[in-house]
Amino acid sequence: MSQVATELTPVDRVAKLRADGRRRPRLIIVGLAVTLVAVFLVRVLLGTYTVTFPDFITILQGGSIEGARGARYIVLSDKLPRAVLGTLTGLAFGCAGAIFQLLLRNPLASPDIIGISSGASLGAVLGIVFWGSTGFEISFLAVAFSLALAILIMVLAAGHGGVGNRFILMGIGVAALGNAVVNYLLTRIDINSAQSAMVWMTGSLSVANWERILILLIALCLIFPAVMLFQRQLHALAVGEELAQSLGLNVTITRWLYIVLGVLLAAVATAASGPIAFVAFVSGPIARRLIGGRHSLTASALVGAIIVVFADFIAANFVPSGAMPVGVLTGAFGAPILIWLLVQSQKEGRS
Amino acid sequence: MSPSLAHTAREKPHTQRQRTLAVTAALVVLLALAVVSSIFWGTRDVGVNTVWNYFTHADLPAMTEAVLDQRSVRTLWAGTIGAALALAGAGMQGVTRNPLGDPGILGVNAGAAFAVVVGISLLGINSSTGMAGLAFIGAGITSALVYGLASVGRDGATPVKLALMGAAISAGLGSLTSALILNFSNALDSLRKWQLGSVAGSSMEEFFPGVFLLIAGALIIGLGARSINNFALGDDMATALGENVMLKRFIIFIGITLLSGTATSMCGPIAFLGLMAPHALRALVGPDYRAIIPLSALFGAALLIVADTVGRVIMPPEEIQVGVTMVVIGVPVFIYLVRTKKAVEL
């Protein structure tokens, strides 16, 4: 009898370990969601024109606050739209980055590196240089060019054999071409246009308005469900092609589906705010290290949103010039977190 | 054993060697053609006789002599820088085992750009020598930082950590650079020109201190070829084959830094060449780094000289910087090679 008991103990232990392994990602995701809400509130409530939470509710319901009439305007037409747009683009970039990193099985593969962002930059800079575009025109050109370049990359990567590696290589080839043209154009224009092109290419939330948010929201409402629906297949694919195939998965279709979804996510987010630098790249590895080795699109999207909203809060309130685009700080803020997590996980012996 | 199997087993290394030799010969011819065209063509074309007279030190009009002086110097620069960047790229892909391994991923370009921008905006440095020095210091410090942080922990700087750490530090520095150039428009003005990469206005005096560092780096990468081949089998396997993986990786890393840091300080961050050359050669001669490394150098030199020549003749009297033309010429070649050859896996 006692033998049975000792035999059960390891089984129990394994079961417990497995349960822990399942619980940790969930806990982290809940934690990240709470953090995102907190950061969002910090962005909206604190800083210039600090409002209390009850006041915020009053403002949302259409009332105004005694003694601070400006607060209503600042909250509704500056802080809130920026926070919402930041959240949405952050979610989209974080998710797109994780999709590419998972799909192409390369931690360096993000829309920044494989050509989608440089397509958007090319479109925007061409617009600024040749047609003096502003606002929605730039967004339209950016999305058109990033989709065109993405299609070019896909056509070049298509064919028999491993799509993954070739997609990366074609992506960096096309990205290099786009970047070279952008850099060349930047030297040919006057310094003010170059400066505004730089601001756009760094990514900024100062363009936030409700119209923009609505368009992005509709696009994301169409894309995110599709991403979530086939997530299981994506993870199966990431484990290994042969295994995925033996599980009855159509590897080619799944891969192309996710490439298209990732491209669309990156493209619509870029159109809304410019290619906010490095969010797509750092979110995936940060989320992965928080969770403890597993990929999670949800966690990565949440990390992306937290980074963007928090960086925007810092940019708007703690940087003297005041008009610092958010993309300047996402790298400066995301990179140290990633570096710290990398160092931390190395001390624990996993990488 | 069936006779056909024995036949292929004997045949394979033979054809492989022939292939490598053919590619070598083709690259040498390409390099020679590139050098010749670079000297003959430019905003001012010169005849065969003139070039002959120049090299036999016959009397020439001062103007022509100055043009030819300048052209041969910049051909030398373009060839040297091209070879250096291609070698650095080959070393980087070998050490990180990542097809995205580019000296830029190491943080060298980001560090150099950041140092240059700090120099211009905060320290008021504007001379080309000053910028070169800053770029070198920035590149060196950044890559030391990348390596140092990546090697915390017991298994040292593994390829994944190295690649991620390099990219993360590049990202952080990139942000700081944008922060500075958005606040100092004179820094943006200098940076946007420096960033393209150019060998115009190169001189023999500025060539010399750098070239020794480049030779040292090239020797390290060249002698490390066998170790890089072993790294490709994985760290455990390489250790079993008698490699001191951590030490060798560190030494090769120093070689990469010397090559790419010096090259960047000499003519700005020329992107893509380091990434492209090893992939192109892998598609042509297979995965053996003992062939990839020297041939990458030849390929890089030829490509950068051709790109520089094209940049000079395409819209005279203006010049397009070599960093731009290199990409415009290089990308189609790269796409063609990667698409037509199967062996692109690392």
Side-chain angles (χ1 to χ4, degrees):
Chain A
M1 272 327 220
S2 67
Q3 239 182 355
V4 174
T6 47
E7 268 173 13
L8 272 177
T9 329
V11 172
D12 281 343
R13 202 181 297 147
V14 169
K16 192 177 168 315
L17 274 177
R18 283 210 178 137
D20 282 351
R22 275 197 300 272
R23 205 173 302 137
R24 177 156 178 185
R26 275 184 211 145
L27 273 177
I28 297 281
I29 286 176
V30 170
L32 285 173
V34 171
T35 316
L36 175 59
V37 172
V39 169
F40 185 90
L41 287 176
V42 163
R43 174 69 188 98
V44 177
L45 300 179
L46 302 185
T48 41
Y49 280 93
T50 300
V51 285
T52 60
F53 191 69
D55 285 350
F56 175 59
I57 299 294
T58 327
I59 289 174
L60 278 189
Q61 283 165 344
S64 59
I65 304 152
E66 285 303 308
R69 301 204 177 275
R72 181 180 158 73
Y73 176 78
I74 291 287
V75 169
L76 281 188
S77 63
D78 178 56
K79 290 164 116 187
L80 195 57
R82 279 179 78 141
V84 174
L85 188 67
T87 311
L88 293 179
T89 50
L91 287 171
F93 280 126
C95 189
I99 288 178
F100 284 117
Q101 284 157 359
L102 191 57
L103 189 66
L104 304 174
R105 269 183 269 164
N106 193 320
L108 298 179
S110 80
D112 306 326
I113 295 176
I114 51 175
I116 290 123
S117 301
S118 50
S121 300
L122 180 61
V125 171
L126 283 175
I128 293 171
V129 172
F130 288 115
W131 302 292
S133 319
T134 46
F136 273 105
E137 259 174 66
I138 295 184
S139 297
F140 177 75
L141 283 168
V143 89
F145 269 81
S146 62
L147 290 180
L149 253 62
I151 290 171
L152 177 66
I153 298 170
M154 288 189 235
V155 169
L156 288 172
H160 53 85
V163 182
N165 211 7
R166 197 156 54 190
F167 186 86
I168 294 184
L169 292 179
M170 292 304 158
I172 44 181
V174 172
L177 209 49
N179 288 337
V181 176
V182 166
N183 284 341
Y184 179 68
L185 286 174
L186 279 183
T187 62
R188 310 290 299 176
I189 56 184
D190 71 288
I191 192 79
N192 292 326
S193 311
Q195 194 113 19
S196 60
M198 276 301 296
V199 170
W200 192 89
M201 286 195 299
T202 323
S204 164
L205 293 175
S206 62
V207 290
N209 60 42
W210 293 109
E211 211 179 352
R212 220 170 248 271
I213 289 171
L214 190 68
I215 297 173
L216 179 61
L217 192 64
I218 292 170
L220 292 184
C221 283
L222 295 174
I223 303 170
F224 273 133
V227 172
M228 292 302 157
L229 202 60
F230 301 103
Q231 207 176 1
R232 194 177 281 271
Q233 277 89 324
L234 177 65
H235 284 283
L237 190 61
V239 175
E241 227 155 275
E242 287 84 6
L243 185 69
Q245 209 136 29
S246 69
L247 287 171
L249 187 69
N250 190 329
V251 171
T252 322
I253 291 185
T254 312
R255 179 168 275 150
W256 282 115
L257 174 76
Y258 267 95
I259 287 179
V260 170
L261 287 173
V263 165
L264 284 176
L265 272 178
V268 294
T270 310
S273 63
I276 299 182
F278 311 119
V279 177
F281 161 63
V282 293
S283 302
I286 289 179
R288 202 177 162 194
R289 271 160 190 84
L290 285 176
I291 279 185
R294 278 195 227 175
H295 288 281
S296 161
L297 299 187
T298 321
S300 176
L302 289 171
V303 169
I306 293 170
I307 290 178
V308 174
V309 176
F310 190 74
D312 187 46
F313 175 68
I314 304 277
N317 294 300
F318 295 97
V319 177
S321 66
M324 184 67 80
V326 66
V328 168
L329 284 165
T330 45
F333 174 62
I337 300 180
L338 178 56
I339 293 167
W340 185 74
L341 284 171
L342 278 171
V343 170
Q344 215 50 31
S345 63
Q346 285 161 29
K347 280 185 185 153
E348 291 167 29
R350 42 192 172 81
S351 66
Chain B
M1 192 190 273
S2 72
S4 67
L5 198 67
H7 184 69
T8 46
R10 202 159 4 99
E11 194 65 14
K12 216 174 170 190
H14 186 59
T15 51
Q16 182 64 43
R17 201 177 309 135
Q18 273 182 338
R19 207 178 155 74
T20 310
L21 279 177
V23 172
T24 314
L27 285 176
V28 169
V29 172
L30 188 69
L31 180 61
L33 285 177
V35 170
V36 169
S37 61
S38 170
I39 288 175
F40 277 91
W41 289 336
T43 327
R44 221 178 127 99
D45 284 349
V46 290
V48 182
N49 281 337
T50 327
V51 174
W52 176 256
N53 287 341
Y54 174 71
F55 282 111
T56 51
H57 301 286
D59 277 342
L60 279 176
M63 182 68 179
T64 318
E65 192 159 342
V67 166
L68 284 174
D69 269 345
Q70 173 57 28
R71 265 186 213 166
S72 33
V73 170
R74 73 186 282 175
T75 307
L76 182 65
W77 270 63
T80 315
I81 300 292
L85 288 173
L87 280 173
M92 195 62 199
Q93 282 175 18
V95 168
T96 57
R97 296 204 303 262
N98 192 315
L100 289 178
D102 169 273
I105 286 289
L106 237 176
V108 170
N109 290 350
F114 180 64
V116 166
V117 168
V118 166
I120 297 167
S121 57
L122 305 178
L123 309 175
I125 292 171
N126 238 330
S127 67
S128 66
T129 353
M131 274 161 79
L134 281 171
F136 186 75
I137 294 167
I141 292 177
T142 313
S143 55
L145 197 64
V146 168
Y147 200 90
L149 283 173
S151 49
V152 178
R154 56 178 172 200
D155 43 353
T158 59
V160 179
K161 286 188 213 165
L162 212 49
L164 269 179
M165 196 57 86
I169 289 178
S170 296
L173 286 175
S175 279
L176 297 178
T177 307
S178 343
L180 283 173
I181 58 178
L182 289 172
N183 281 321
F184 296 88
S185 61
N186 63 330
L188 172 60
D189 202 27
S190 307
L191 186 79
R192 63 180 178 165
K193 290 182 190 114
W194 180 78
Q195 210 166 25
L196 284 182
S198 169
V199 289
S202 47
S203 73
M204 228 38 213
E205 294 83 62
E206 287 172 28
F207 186 64
F208 270 109
V211 81
F212 296 119
L213 298 174
L214 291 180
I215 291 172
L219 282 175
I220 292 176
I221 303 286
L223 296 175
R226 182 188 284 273
S227 305
I228 293 179
N229 272 346
N230 291 338
F231 290 165
L233 304 170
D235 288 0
D236 297 340
M237 195 65 176
T239 313
L241 285 170
E243 292 284 354
N244 184 343
V245 174
M246 281 197 204
L247 179 70
K248 291 268 178 67
R249 195 180 275 145
F250 179 67
I251 294 173
I252 292 173
F253 187 87
I254 289 182
I256 299 168
T257 308
L258 280 176
L259 285 168
S260 55
T262 314
T264 306
S265 72
M266 284 167 82
C267 50
I270 294 179
F272 192 60
L273 180 60
L275 188 102
M276 169 195 174
H279 278 297
L281 268 302
R282 197 172 294 119
L284 288 172
V285 300
D288 187 351
Y289 273 92
R290 285 172 301 177
I292 291 179
I293 287 175
L295 294 180
S296 289
L298 276 181
F299 180 86
L303 185 65
L304 211 62
I305 294 175
V306 170
D308 184 43
T309 313
V310 170
R312 265 181 286 159
V313 297
I314 203 162
M315 2 185 265
E318 279 194 55
E319 272 190 17
I320 299 184
Q321 286 84 344
V322 67
V324 178
T325 47
M326 198 280 301
V327 172
V328 173
I329 297 169
V331 168
V333 175
F334 176 70
I335 287 174
Y336 171 77
L337 285 175
V338 174
R339 268 205 71 83
T340 49
K341 310 290 172 182
K342 281 174 294 174
V344 290
E345 301 288 335
L346 278 175

